[in-house]
Amino acid sequence: MTTTSLLQPTRRSPRRAAVARLLAGAALGAAVAMGPAASAQSGASWPPVTAEGQTWIFSAAGETWTATAGKLDSDGDRELQVGTPRGTQKGWLVLSTDKTLWSLLTLQPGGGYWACRLERGAGPVYSGKLSFFAKTDGPGEARGTCTGQLQGRAAPPNTSAPSWPYRLAAGQTWSVKMPSGTVTATLEGQPGNLSGIISRTPPAVLGAVADTTNLTFMVVSQTAEQLCVIERAGASGAVLTGTAYDMKSERSLGQCSAAQGPASALASRVVAVRPSWPLAPRDGDTWTVTTPLGSWKGSLKAEGDLWQGRVSGAIPGEMLLKITPTSAVLAIFADDGRIFGCRIDQLGTIAPDKMSGDALYGKNADADIEEAGACSAVQER
């Protein structure tokens, strides 16, 4: 793919050419091979017993993955269908030959796979390390930690956690902040089938249900059908946080929040949009970009195929965001003529609150783009 095809239309200004060079900049990334297994812990329940039809819940890459167990393959590994916010992928549960590691392997579109390496333990929640392999025969990149648990097998009680499931009742007023805006409604009906009218012009309905796993709000209008799913980990304090989903595509829309009371409980709360690929900006989103050479913050609006706006920071300037099918770049054109950039690909959007990528730098609009370490970007609304 050429840089020209990345930045159509054909009008080519020096600034757009510089963005093209930022997009085409060589990606950094310390690829690390999977190291030797950590020393095995004792545990009578090891290895976990798997069976066809089981549902395993994995926490990985800042997301929840739901794995449905199928039959054993010819190698004796348990086949899986793994549901993630990006869709369903093929996977396996694999036990190492020395029976000290039990791994979830899940293929990704276009090749490569994730590996959640769970170490020997007593359960019911097994913990381990997460790695990503861009190629099936290549080295892995360390991506933090992960956990695995058989659905329905409870973890040891946490005495500091709030009462769960959350108690809903008719007459309660709830405000829910979705990526598309904040809605408020008073619940009506019976527990398990609660709904409230948000507005009648146009009509929109807020539904709410609480069970042992999630507190879920459903917002249905003439133009959208969305869910705000709050897991137990996000149900602490007055403001509860979760993940917003489009009900039709089942695609993650970013972060959502809810509070019992009027919309003012959420009005001043700015939440980070949960990173997902491709990036989904909206007019007025606040972006913060941090590189070894400085930090910048400002709001962006759509301008053709770019998003742009003034930003403050180390050196004030203009920020441009360009998104392509494979990568995105946030470029800061400083008032002194220098260019700073943060180039992000899908692997940089796995964290729950911020994106990471490669910092890039140019002395001016005509200079070569240099690698400048690592960078991060936070999208808020």
Side-chain angles (χ1 to χ4, degrees):
M1 179 181 292
T2 66
T3 54
T4 301
S5 64
L6 291 177
L7 287 173
Q8 293 177 343
T10 56
R11 185 171 62 89
R12 300 281 290 171
S13 68
R15 176 164 295 184
R16 294 175 72 84
V19 176
R21 292 199 302 278
L22 286 167
L23 277 167
L28 299 175
V32 293
M34 291 177 65
S39 59
Q41 306 171 16
S42 62
S45 64
W46 190 265
V49 178
T50 66
E52 187 174 357
Q54 285 178 337
T55 299
W56 288 84
I57 304 299
F58 290 86
S59 174
E63 301 174 349
T64 298
W65 297 351
T66 303
T68 302
K71 298 180 179 180
L72 295 174
D73 65 12
S74 58
D75 296 323
D77 302 322
R78 180 72 62 183
E79 296 180 348
L80 300 174
Q81 291 294 319
V82 184
T84 76
R86 292 173 298 280
T88 301
Q89 279 89 42
K90 180 73 173 180
W92 294 266
L93 290 174
V94 180
L95 185 66
S96 63
T97 54
D98 59 3
K99 297 186 178 181
T100 59
L101 286 177
W102 182 63
S103 298
L104 162 74
L105 305 180
T106 177
L107 296 177
Q108 295 296 296
Y113 64 95
W114 289 95
C116 175
R117 303 162 57 233
L118 302 174
E119 299 175 4
R120 182 170 184 169
V125 179
Y126 301 93
S127 300
K129 297 178 181 179
L130 183 68
S131 299
F132 181 80
F133 292 75
K135 298 180 179 179
T136 55
D137 57 351
E141 300 176 21
R143 292 294 179 172
T145 60
C146 56
T147 62
Q149 177 181 357
L150 179 62
Q151 188 177 58
R153 185 171 296 176
N158 180 359
T159 57
S160 64
S163 176
W164 192 265
Y166 207 94
R167 297 187 182 276
L168 298 173
Q172 291 179 348
T173 297
W174 282 89
S175 295
V176 181
K177 186 170 186 178
M178 306 290 283
S180 57
T182 301
V183 296
T184 301
T186 299
L187 300 183
E188 304 170 354
Q190 299 298 317
N193 187 27
L194 297 163
S195 64
I197 299 297
I198 299 166
S199 68
R200 299 182 184 273
T201 53
V205 175
L206 173 72
V209 62
D211 56 31
T212 57
T213 306
N214 302 312
L215 171 61
T216 302
F217 294 93
M218 177 177 63
V219 180
V220 179
S221 69
Q222 292 178 335
T223 58
E225 298 179 4
Q226 299 178 349
L227 293 177
C228 178
V229 180
I230 299 169
E231 298 179 354
R232 186 169 186 167
S236 60
V239 178
L240 315 179
T241 58
T243 303
Y245 296 93
D246 181 273
M247 292 175 62
K248 293 182 179 179
S249 67
E250 299 184 358
R251 178 173 174 267
S252 172
L253 302 174
Q255 194 179 73
C256 61
S257 58
Q260 192 172 347
S264 58
L266 298 171
S268 61
R269 183 176 177 85
V270 178
V271 297
V273 177
R274 185 167 188 167
S276 61
W277 193 262
L279 304 186
R282 295 181 185 271
D283 278 356
D285 283 356
T286 298
W287 293 82
T288 301
V289 175
T290 302
T291 80
L293 301 176
S295 181
W296 294 266
K297 184 174 183 177
S299 297
L300 303 183
K301 293 185 177 181
E303 297 287 346
D305 60 342
L306 298 173
W307 300 79
Q308 60 185 38
R310 288 289 299 179
V311 290
S312 59
I315 305 168
E318 184 178 8
M319 183 185 295
L320 275 71
L321 167 62
K322 173 64 179 179
I323 303 170
T324 79
T326 57
S327 60
V329 65
L330 285 148
I332 297 95
F333 293 87
D335 291 343
D336 66 359
R338 289 187 290 172
I339 302 172
F340 306 87
C342 183
R343 183 178 182 272
I344 301 163
D345 62 18
Q346 182 178 350
L347 294 183
T349 62
I350 63 170
D353 58 351
K354 68 179 180 181
M355 296 160 270
S356 60
D358 307 318
L360 302 170
Y361 171 72
K363 295 179 180 179
N364 53 59
D366 298 319
D368 292 336
I369 300 301
E370 303 172 0
E371 298 175 348
C375 64
S376 66
V378 176
Q379 178 189 5
E380 297 174 308
R381 66 170 56 116

